[in-house]
Amino acid sequence: MQFKGNELAGKTIGMVGFGAVAQRIAEMVRGFPCFIQFYDPYISSADATFKKTTLEDVFAHSDIVSIHLPVTDETVGMIDRRLIGTMKSDAIFVNTARASVVNRDHLLEAIENRRIGGAVLDVFNFEPPDEKDYRLINSPLVLATPHTAGATHEVEDHHVDILNKKYWIG
């Protein structure tokens, strides 16, 4: 069957960055049921059902790795060949945060050589996408979506709530 996927139940979801958006996603998927672990050096406490761990453990032991990082001097290019190379061969890489936190060449290499199960990408290095972005977009292992989550009339109100930590767990 062409349109057959996998369940979240029993899977380990690893979050890189555990701010308001990642915590909200964790709350939504916890009931599937799945195990949620995260790496974030700035979050000292969170709901006890979420396990804080190392960046390396998130990549090596997660079935899905979801990126939730801001762009800073520390995070630009942070997700590289070394981390991607530790992922399970059937793991899914998800980036709906910022393209620049991932070394695009290293992700493209992993996708084209089928070293990981696939990727879901909502952000790209260039808008409109350039040739390398289109190599990712056109891969049968990649689900690409337009980065339009902030293109709503209500987004400004939501950003104020997020900044006021209305949606934060820890």
Side-chain angles (χ1 to χ4, degrees):
M1 175 179 253
Q2 183 180 359
F3 298 108
K4 199 170 197 177
N6 296 304
E7 295 183 7
L8 286 177
K11 301 288 191 289
T12 297
I13 298 175
M15 306 243 183
V16 180
F18 205 60
V21 172
Q23 289 181 30
R24 186 66 172 245
I25 292 169
E27 281 293 324
M28 289 189 294
V29 300
R30 88 158 73 194
F32 276 91
C34 52
F35 177 71
I36 299 167
Q37 60 181 2
F38 71 93
Y39 166 78
D40 192 320
Y42 304 105
I43 301 291
S44 57
S45 65
D47 185 311
T49 60
F50 307 135
K51 178 186 175 195
K52 182 172 181 170
T53 190
T54 66
L55 181 61
E56 291 75 13
D57 280 348
V58 166
F59 275 83
H61 302 294
S62 297
D63 299 297
I64 299 167
V65 175
S66 187
I67 308 302
H68 302 275
L69 295 172
V71 176
T72 67
D73 290 341
E74 294 174 308
T75 63
V76 171
M78 179 175 143
I79 311 304
D80 60 9
R81 180 181 289 119
R82 178 185 66 85
L83 290 169
I84 296 168
T86 65
M87 291 176 69
K88 298 175 180 182
S89 63
D90 60 347
I92 304 297
F93 180 84
V94 179
N95 187 5
T96 58
R98 299 288 180 257
S100 64
V101 301
V102 179
N103 183 308
R104 175 178 63 164
D105 292 332
H106 298 170
L107 178 60
L108 181 60
E109 177 183 290
I111 292 293
E112 289 184 338
N113 292 307
R114 297 183 178 265
R115 291 192 194 123
I116 61 174
V120 178
L121 304 174
D122 187 50
V123 290
F124 298 94
N125 286 56
F126 297 97
E127 292 183 16
D130 69 359
E131 182 181 333
K132 279 190 182 175
D133 283 339
Y134 273 114
R135 283 171 57 193
L136 282 166
I137 291 167
N138 291 324
S139 170
L141 298 182
V142 173
L143 172 62
T145 60
H147 190 68
T148 58
T152 66
H153 298 288
E154 299 83 7
V155 73
E156 292 169 2
D157 295 332
H158 296 299
H159 282 172
V160 170
D161 289 340
I162 289 170
L163 290 172
N164 288 327
K165 297 188 176 184
K166 180 178 177 180
Y167 296 117
W168 287 55
I169 295 169

Short mmCIF file of all heavy atoms in Angstrom, two decimals, residues 35-77:
data_model
loop_
_atom_site.label_atom_id
_atom_site.label_comp_id
_atom_site.label_asym_id
_atom_site.label_seq_id
_atom_site.Cartn_x
_atom_site.Cartn_y
_atom_site.Cartn_z
N PHE A 35 7.05 8.04 24.25
CA PHE A 35 8.04 8.54 25.20
C PHE A 35 8.64 9.82 24.64
O PHE A 35 9.03 9.86 23.48
CB PHE A 35 9.12 7.48 25.43
CG PHE A 35 10.22 7.93 26.35
CD1 PHE A 35 9.99 8.08 27.70
CD2 PHE A 35 11.48 8.20 25.84
CE1 PHE A 35 11.00 8.50 28.55
CE2 PHE A 35 12.50 8.60 26.68
CZ PHE A 35 12.25 8.76 28.04
N ILE A 36 8.72 10.86 25.46
CA ILE A 36 9.25 12.13 24.99
C ILE A 36 10.47 12.50 25.80
O ILE A 36 10.43 12.56 27.04
CB ILE A 36 8.19 13.24 25.10
CG1 ILE A 36 6.99 12.87 24.21
CG2 ILE A 36 8.78 14.60 24.70
CD1 ILE A 36 5.77 13.69 24.44
N GLN A 37 11.57 12.73 25.07
CA GLN A 37 12.79 13.20 25.71
C GLN A 37 13.20 14.50 25.04
O GLN A 37 12.81 14.77 23.91
CB GLN A 37 13.90 12.16 25.61
CG GLN A 37 14.30 11.77 24.21
CD GLN A 37 15.38 10.72 24.21
OE1 GLN A 37 15.83 10.24 25.24
NE2 GLN A 37 15.82 10.34 23.02
N PHE A 38 13.98 15.30 25.75
CA PHE A 38 14.37 16.59 25.18
C PHE A 38 15.77 17.00 25.61
O PHE A 38 16.27 16.55 26.63
CB PHE A 38 13.36 17.68 25.56
CG PHE A 38 13.39 18.09 27.01
CD1 PHE A 38 14.17 19.17 27.42
CD2 PHE A 38 12.64 17.43 27.96
CE1 PHE A 38 14.20 19.56 28.75
CE2 PHE A 38 12.65 17.81 29.29
CZ PHE A 38 13.44 18.88 29.69
N TYR A 39 16.34 17.87 24.80
CA TYR A 39 17.60 18.53 25.13
C TYR A 39 17.35 20.02 25.09
O TYR A 39 16.85 20.56 24.09
CB TYR A 39 18.70 18.17 24.12
CG TYR A 39 19.89 19.10 24.24
CD1 TYR A 39 20.80 18.94 25.27
CD2 TYR A 39 20.05 20.16 23.37
CE1 TYR A 39 21.87 19.81 25.41
CE2 TYR A 39 21.13 21.04 23.50
CZ TYR A 39 22.03 20.85 24.53
OH TYR A 39 23.08 21.72 24.67
N ASP A 40 17.65 20.69 26.17
CA ASP A 40 17.60 22.15 26.23
C ASP A 40 18.39 22.58 27.45
O ASP A 40 17.97 22.35 28.58
CB ASP A 40 16.15 22.65 26.32
CG ASP A 40 16.04 24.14 26.09
OD1 ASP A 40 16.93 24.90 26.58
OD2 ASP A 40 15.09 24.57 25.42
N PRO A 41 19.54 23.21 27.23
CA PRO A 41 20.36 23.61 28.37
C PRO A 41 19.74 24.72 29.21
O PRO A 41 20.19 24.98 30.33
CB PRO A 41 21.67 24.09 27.72
CG PRO A 41 21.29 24.48 26.34
CD PRO A 41 20.16 23.57 25.95
N TYR A 42 18.70 25.38 28.71
CA TYR A 42 18.09 26.50 29.42
C TYR A 42 16.82 26.13 30.17
O TYR A 42 16.26 26.96 30.87
CB TYR A 42 17.80 27.63 28.43
CG TYR A 42 19.06 28.06 27.71
CD1 TYR A 42 19.28 27.70 26.39
CD2 TYR A 42 20.05 28.78 28.37
CE1 TYR A 42 20.46 28.07 25.74
CE2 TYR A 42 21.22 29.16 27.73
CZ TYR A 42 21.42 28.79 26.41
OH TYR A 42 22.57 29.15 25.78
N ILE A 43 16.36 24.91 30.02
CA ILE A 43 15.18 24.44 30.75
C ILE A 43 15.66 23.54 31.88
O ILE A 43 16.25 22.49 31.63
CB ILE A 43 14.21 23.66 29.83
CG1 ILE A 43 13.74 24.52 28.67
CG2 ILE A 43 13.03 23.10 30.62
CD1 ILE A 43 12.83 25.66 29.04
N SER A 44 15.42 23.96 33.11
CA SER A 44 15.91 23.17 34.24
C SER A 44 14.84 22.23 34.79
O SER A 44 15.17 21.23 35.41
CB SER A 44 16.42 24.08 35.35
OG SER A 44 15.41 24.96 35.76
N SER A 45 13.59 22.58 34.57
CA SER A 45 12.53 21.69 35.05
C SER A 45 11.42 21.66 34.01
O SER A 45 11.17 22.63 33.31
CB SER A 45 11.99 22.17 36.39
OG SER A 45 11.36 23.42 36.24
N ALA A 46 10.79 20.55 33.95
CA ALA A 46 9.64 20.38 33.06
C ALA A 46 8.76 19.30 33.67
O ALA A 46 9.10 18.72 34.70
CB ALA A 46 10.10 19.97 31.66
N ASP A 47 7.67 19.04 33.05
CA ASP A 47 6.78 17.97 33.47
C ASP A 47 7.61 16.69 33.63
O ASP A 47 8.39 16.35 32.75
CB ASP A 47 5.70 17.80 32.40
CG ASP A 47 4.65 16.80 32.78
OD1 ASP A 47 5.01 15.68 33.21
OD2 ASP A 47 3.47 17.11 32.63
N ALA A 48 7.45 16.00 34.72
CA ALA A 48 8.25 14.81 35.02
C ALA A 48 8.06 13.69 34.00
O ALA A 48 8.87 12.77 33.95
CB ALA A 48 7.94 14.30 36.42
N THR A 49 7.01 13.73 33.19
CA THR A 49 6.83 12.69 32.19
C THR A 49 7.73 12.90 30.98
O THR A 49 7.79 12.03 30.12
CB THR A 49 5.36 12.60 31.73
OG1 THR A 49 4.98 13.86 31.16
CG2 THR A 49 4.45 12.25 32.89
N PHE A 50 8.41 14.06 30.91
CA PHE A 50 9.34 14.33 29.83
C PHE A 50 10.76 14.21 30.38
O PHE A 50 11.07 14.82 31.40
CB PHE A 50 9.13 15.73 29.25
CG PHE A 50 7.71 16.02 28.85
CD1 PHE A 50 7.11 17.22 29.18
CD2 PHE A 50 6.95 15.09 28.14
CE1 PHE A 50 5.81 17.51 28.81
CE2 PHE A 50 5.65 15.36 27.77
CZ PHE A 50 5.08 16.56 28.11
N LYS A 51 11.60 13.46 29.69
CA LYS A 51 12.95 13.21 30.18
C LYS A 51 13.96 14.19 29.56
O LYS A 51 14.10 14.23 28.35
CB LYS A 51 13.37 11.78 29.85
CG LYS A 51 14.78 11.45 30.29
CD LYS A 51 15.21 10.09 29.83
CE LYS A 51 16.67 9.86 30.18
NZ LYS A 51 17.23 8.74 29.47
N LYS A 52 14.67 14.91 30.41
CA LYS A 52 15.75 15.77 29.94
C LYS A 52 16.98 14.89 29.74
O LYS A 52 17.31 14.06 30.59
CB LYS A 52 16.05 16.89 30.95
CG LYS A 52 17.13 17.81 30.45
CD LYS A 52 17.31 19.02 31.35
CE LYS A 52 18.39 19.91 30.77
NZ LYS A 52 18.47 21.20 31.44
N THR A 53 17.65 15.06 28.61
CA THR A 53 18.81 14.23 28.30
C THR A 53 19.82 15.04 27.49
O THR A 53 19.65 16.24 27.32
CB THR A 53 18.37 12.94 27.57
OG1 THR A 53 19.48 12.05 27.49
CG2 THR A 53 17.82 13.22 26.19
N THR A 54 20.82 14.38 26.99
CA THR A 54 21.85 15.07 26.21
C THR A 54 21.42 15.18 24.75
O THR A 54 20.57 14.44 24.27
CB THR A 54 23.18 14.31 26.26
OG1 THR A 54 23.03 13.05 25.59
CG2 THR A 54 23.64 14.10 27.70
N LEU A 55 22.05 16.10 24.06
CA LEU A 55 21.80 16.27 22.63
C LEU A 55 22.11 14.98 21.88
O LEU A 55 21.36 14.55 21.01
CB LEU A 55 22.65 17.43 22.11
CG LEU A 55 22.51 17.79 20.64
CD1 LEU A 55 21.08 18.22 20.31
CD2 LEU A 55 23.49 18.91 20.29
N GLU A 56 23.22 14.36 22.24
CA GLU A 56 23.63 13.12 21.58
C GLU A 56 22.61 12.00 21.79
O GLU A 56 22.31 11.25 20.87
CB GLU A 56 25.01 12.69 22.08
CG GLU A 56 26.13 13.59 21.64
CD GLU A 56 26.22 14.94 22.38
OE1 GLU A 56 25.55 15.11 23.44
OE2 GLU A 56 26.93 15.82 21.88
N ASP A 57 22.06 11.89 23.01
CA ASP A 57 21.05 10.87 23.28
C ASP A 57 19.76 11.12 22.50
O ASP A 57 19.13 10.16 22.04
CB ASP A 57 20.72 10.80 24.78
CG ASP A 57 21.75 10.02 25.57
OD1 ASP A 57 22.59 9.33 24.96
OD2 ASP A 57 21.72 10.11 26.81
N VAL A 58 19.36 12.37 22.36
CA VAL A 58 18.16 12.67 21.59
C VAL A 58 18.32 12.13 20.18
O VAL A 58 17.43 11.46 19.65
CB VAL A 58 17.87 14.19 21.57
CG1 VAL A 58 16.85 14.53 20.49
CG2 VAL A 58 17.37 14.65 22.92
N PHE A 59 19.47 12.39 19.54
CA PHE A 59 19.67 11.93 18.17
C PHE A 59 19.83 10.42 18.07
O PHE A 59 19.28 9.80 17.17
CB PHE A 59 20.86 12.65 17.53
CG PHE A 59 20.49 13.98 16.95
CD1 PHE A 59 20.41 15.10 17.75
CD2 PHE A 59 20.17 14.10 15.61
CE1 PHE A 59 20.03 16.32 17.23
CE2 PHE A 59 19.78 15.31 15.07
CZ PHE A 59 19.72 16.43 15.88
N ALA A 60 20.55 9.83 18.98
CA ALA A 60 20.84 8.39 18.88
C ALA A 60 19.67 7.50 19.25
O ALA A 60 19.57 6.38 18.74
CB ALA A 60 22.05 8.05 19.77
N HIS A 61 18.78 7.96 20.11
CA HIS A 61 17.75 7.07 20.65
C HIS A 61 16.32 7.45 20.31
O HIS A 61 15.38 6.84 20.82
CB HIS A 61 17.91 6.96 22.17
CG HIS A 61 19.26 6.47 22.59
ND1 HIS A 61 19.72 5.21 22.31
CD2 HIS A 61 20.28 7.11 23.21
CE1 HIS A 61 20.94 5.07 22.77
NE2 HIS A 61 21.31 6.21 23.31
N SER A 62 16.12 8.43 19.44
CA SER A 62 14.77 8.85 19.10
C SER A 62 14.34 8.28 17.75
O SER A 62 15.15 8.16 16.83
CB SER A 62 14.68 10.38 19.05
OG SER A 62 14.94 10.92 20.32
N ASP A 63 13.06 7.97 17.66
CA ASP A 63 12.49 7.55 16.38
C ASP A 63 12.13 8.77 15.53
O ASP A 63 12.10 8.70 14.31
CB ASP A 63 11.23 6.70 16.63
CG ASP A 63 11.56 5.45 17.42
OD1 ASP A 63 12.32 4.61 16.90
OD2 ASP A 63 11.07 5.33 18.56
N ILE A 64 11.85 9.86 16.22
CA ILE A 64 11.58 11.14 15.58
C ILE A 64 12.39 12.19 16.31
O ILE A 64 12.32 12.28 17.55
CB ILE A 64 10.08 11.51 15.64
CG1 ILE A 64 9.24 10.45 14.91
CG2 ILE A 64 9.83 12.90 15.06
CD1 ILE A 64 7.76 10.56 15.18
N VAL A 65 13.16 12.98 15.57
CA VAL A 65 13.92 14.09 16.15
C VAL A 65 13.29 15.38 15.63
O VAL A 65 13.26 15.60 14.42
CB VAL A 65 15.41 14.03 15.78
CG1 VAL A 65 16.15 15.26 16.29
CG2 VAL A 65 16.05 12.75 16.31
N SER A 66 12.79 16.19 16.53
CA SER A 66 12.10 17.42 16.16
C SER A 66 12.88 18.63 16.66
O SER A 66 13.20 18.73 17.85
CB SER A 66 10.69 17.40 16.77
OG SER A 66 9.94 18.49 16.31
N ILE A 67 13.18 19.56 15.75
CA ILE A 67 14.02 20.70 16.06
C ILE A 67 13.16 21.91 16.43
O ILE A 67 12.23 22.28 15.71
CB ILE A 67 14.92 21.06 14.85
CG1 ILE A 67 15.69 19.83 14.37
CG2 ILE A 67 15.85 22.22 15.18
CD1 ILE A 67 16.57 19.16 15.41
N HIS A 68 13.52 22.55 17.56
CA HIS A 68 12.79 23.71 18.08
C HIS A 68 13.78 24.74 18.61
O HIS A 68 13.72 25.13 19.77
CB HIS A 68 11.81 23.28 19.18
CG HIS A 68 10.85 22.27 18.71
ND1 HIS A 68 9.68 22.60 18.06
CD2 HIS A 68 10.88 20.92 18.74
CE1 HIS A 68 9.03 21.50 17.73
NE2 HIS A 68 9.74 20.46 18.13
N LEU A 69 14.72 25.15 17.78
CA LEU A 69 15.79 26.05 18.19
C LEU A 69 15.64 27.44 17.59
O LEU A 69 15.24 27.57 16.43
CB LEU A 69 17.15 25.49 17.74
CG LEU A 69 17.60 24.17 18.35
CD1 LEU A 69 18.85 23.68 17.63
CD2 LEU A 69 17.85 24.34 19.83
N PRO A 70 16.06 28.45 18.34
CA PRO A 70 16.16 29.79 17.76
C PRO A 70 17.50 29.90 17.03
O PRO A 70 18.38 29.05 17.19
CB PRO A 70 16.16 30.70 18.99
CG PRO A 70 16.84 29.86 20.04
CD PRO A 70 16.38 28.44 19.76
N VAL A 71 17.67 30.93 16.25
CA VAL A 71 18.94 31.18 15.59
C VAL A 71 19.79 32.04 16.52
O VAL A 71 19.43 33.17 16.86
CB VAL A 71 18.75 31.90 14.24
CG1 VAL A 71 20.10 32.23 13.61
CG2 VAL A 71 17.94 31.02 13.30
N THR A 72 20.91 31.47 16.96
CA THR A 72 21.89 32.19 17.77
C THR A 72 23.27 31.79 17.28
O THR A 72 23.41 30.88 16.45
CB THR A 72 21.78 31.81 19.27
OG1 THR A 72 22.17 30.44 19.44
CG2 THR A 72 20.36 32.02 19.81
N ASP A 73 24.29 32.45 17.80
CA ASP A 73 25.66 32.06 17.44
C ASP A 73 25.93 30.60 17.79
O ASP A 73 26.65 29.91 17.09
CB ASP A 73 26.69 32.96 18.14
CG ASP A 73 26.70 34.38 17.60
OD1 ASP A 73 26.20 34.60 16.47
OD2 ASP A 73 27.20 35.27 18.31
N GLU A 74 25.33 30.13 18.88
CA GLU A 74 25.52 28.74 19.31
C GLU A 74 24.81 27.73 18.43
O GLU A 74 25.24 26.60 18.29
CB GLU A 74 25.00 28.55 20.74
CG GLU A 74 25.75 29.29 21.81
CD GLU A 74 25.04 29.13 23.15
OE1 GLU A 74 23.81 29.39 23.22
OE2 GLU A 74 25.72 28.74 24.11
N THR A 75 23.66 28.11 17.86
CA THR A 75 22.83 27.13 17.17
C THR A 75 23.02 27.07 15.66
O THR A 75 22.64 26.07 15.05
CB THR A 75 21.33 27.37 17.46
OG1 THR A 75 20.95 28.65 16.96
CG2 THR A 75 21.04 27.26 18.96
N VAL A 76 23.58 28.09 15.04
CA VAL A 76 23.74 28.07 13.58
C VAL A 76 24.64 26.89 13.19
O VAL A 76 25.76 26.76 13.69
CB VAL A 76 24.33 29.40 13.05
CG1 VAL A 76 24.71 29.28 11.58
CG2 VAL A 76 23.32 30.53 13.24
N GLY A 77 24.12 25.99 12.37
CA GLY A 77 24.87 24.82 11.93
C GLY A 77 25.08 23.76 13.00
O GLY A 77 25.84 22.80 12.82
#
